[in-house]
Amino acid sequence: AKLSKAFPEWPEKLQDWQDLFVEIGDRLKQAQIYEMTLATYHFAEALLVYIDHIKQERNLLDYDDLIEKTVDLLSDRQASAWVLYKLDGGLDHILVDEAQDTSPAQWQVITALAEEFFSGETARETDRTVFAVGDEKQSIFSFQGADPQMFDKMRAHFAEANEAVEKPFQP
């Protein structure tokens, strides 16, 4: 109290200094976070390059590579016709679990594999089905490229496909 009376400008100056120190501290934290994020980014970038190098050197494929190669294979008219012909003899049911976490590329594979299920008359008498289970509310968004909205789009796709060949569809 005696100091405040003797130096009335001090409380305001001390408050200004405190505000300045807090601001400087916040800026230093932001700079530190930025530097750590940048270092993490550079590390991840180098790691991905290294992983690609090891995969090529050892002729390895990861899960994403397998999906990409399968989409490429099933997108090639000649190759896909042969693959689907070979699979058609033994493929009766497709089960997609956790379908809300299925990526657009994975759905491409599923629809290509199921295409013959809805071609109308077939040489096979077996009822072939696509069974997809999922709940958008439980999606792990962006998990393996997941797009939860695709679940609804694919539900509509398979409903139309069933309707076109007069097969029942149960949502």
Side-chain angles (χ1 to χ4, degrees), residues 83-95:
V83 169
L84 294 172
Y85 169 76
K86 287 296 194 181
L87 288 174
D88 191 41
L91 194 58
D92 293 329
H93 309 286
I94 297 173
L95 168 63

Side-chain angles (χ1 to χ4, degrees), residues 2 11 24 28 36 41 43 62 87 101 109 117 141:
K2 287 183 183 181
I24 290 170
L28 286 172
M36 290 172 22
Y41 172 80
F43 173 76
D62 64 18
L87 288 174
D101 292 325
V109 172
F117 289 18
F141 293 97

Side-chain angles (χ1 to χ4, degrees), residues 51-64:
I51 289 170
D52 282 343
H53 171 74
I54 293 296
K55 286 187 335 188
Q56 284 191 349
E57 182 180 86
R58 298 181 186 174
N59 239 359
L60 300 172
L61 298 172
D62 64 18
Y63 186 73
D64 289 335

Side-chain angles (χ1 to χ4, degrees), residues 21-127:
F21 286 135
V22 168
E23 183 181 333
I24 290 170
D26 287 346
R27 287 186 181 184
L28 286 172
K29 283 180 191 173
Q30 289 173 352
Q32 192 176 32
I33 290 169
Y34 171 80
E35 290 296 324
M36 290 172 22
T37 302
L38 193 59
T40 302
Y41 172 80
H42 288 305
F43 173 76
E45 188 176 44
L47 181 62
L48 291 173
V49 168
Y50 176 72
I51 289 170
D52 282 343
H53 171 74
I54 293 296
K55 286 187 335 188
Q56 284 191 349
E57 182 180 86
R58 298 181 186 174
N59 239 359
L60 300 172
L61 298 172
D62 64 18
Y63 186 73
D64 289 335
D65 296 331
L66 293 173
I67 292 170
E68 181 183 328
K69 299 282 184 200
T70 304
V71 167
D72 290 346
L73 179 67
L74 295 175
S75 298
D76 179 309
R77 290 237 183 250
Q78 288 181 330
S80 69
W82 182 82
V83 169
L84 294 172
Y85 169 76
K86 287 296 194 181
L87 288 174
D88 191 41
L91 194 58
D92 293 329
H93 309 286
I94 297 173
L95 168 63
V96 185
D97 194 15
E98 301 296 343
Q100 76 277 0
D101 292 325
T102 303
S103 72
Q106 292 166 327
W107 280 116
Q108 278 184 272
V109 172
I110 294 162
T111 55
L113 293 175
E115 191 174 304
E116 191 62 28
F117 289 18
F118 307 103
S119 64
E121 293 296 318
T122 74
R124 301 188 53 212
E125 295 299 318
T126 306
D127 269 342

